[in-house]
Amino acid sequence: PLLDSAKELSVPLKAALTAIFNAFDKDRDGSLSPTELSEFVYKTNGSRPPAAFLTQMGIQFGKDAKGYLTLEGFFNFFLEQTLEDPIETRRDLEKHGWDGDRLVRCDIARNA
């Protein structure tokens, strides 16, 4: 499941999101800079977001001292999205190589 009984992100979903976050955190500083976040959004939705959108993501969901989106902020974004539209979260996972139902990497899901 995407959520646990307390309506929080499930452990398997957090693991998938952490792996996705880390794939875009190129400098490994624990946050997504505007460039890194833009790459994530582009791969997810196929369009480049405006700079104001990238800044707002950090402000709304969780940012570090530089104003960059943190892993916790990434989780917060996906929690809100999942509560509103779980199908969209599953689609987003699939765009990043994860099985949206089983919450495992697609290459692992095919071999299981």
Side-chain angles (χ1 to χ4, degrees):
L2 297 175
L3 301 174
D4 63 20
S5 60
K7 300 288 186 209
E8 296 295 330
L9 297 177
S10 69
V11 171
L13 179 54
K14 277 189 161 185
L17 293 175
T18 299
I20 293 167
F21 181 94
N22 288 338
F24 287 91
D25 183 15
K26 299 299 185 193
D27 59 6
R28 301 288 181 248
D29 66 350
S31 60
L32 297 182
S33 69
T35 301
E36 293 166 337
L37 183 55
S38 180
E39 283 302 310
F40 166 77
V41 173
Y42 180 74
K43 180 157 186 194
T44 305
N45 298 324
S47 63
R48 297 274 178 205
F53 172 85
L54 300 172
T55 301
Q56 187 60 36
M57 286 281 293
I59 292 168
Q60 184 170 350
F61 296 107
K63 60 187 173 106
D64 65 9
K66 294 177 280 188
Y68 298 171
L69 186 71
T70 61
L71 177 59
E72 192 61 34
F74 197 68
F75 289 161
N76 290 338
F77 166 77
F78 273 97
L79 176 59
E80 183 173 297
Q81 176 177 284
T82 303
L83 288 167
E84 292 177 10
D85 189 355
I87 292 170
E88 184 67 19
T89 295
R90 291 183 193 285
R91 285 187 195 129
D92 288 351
L93 291 168
E94 290 165 4
K95 290 175 184 169
H96 294 280
W98 288 79
D99 182 307
D101 292 318
R102 295 171 52 201
L103 302 178
V104 295
R105 292 224 19 105
C106 287
D107 54 345
I108 294 169
R110 280 193 293 274
N111 297 326

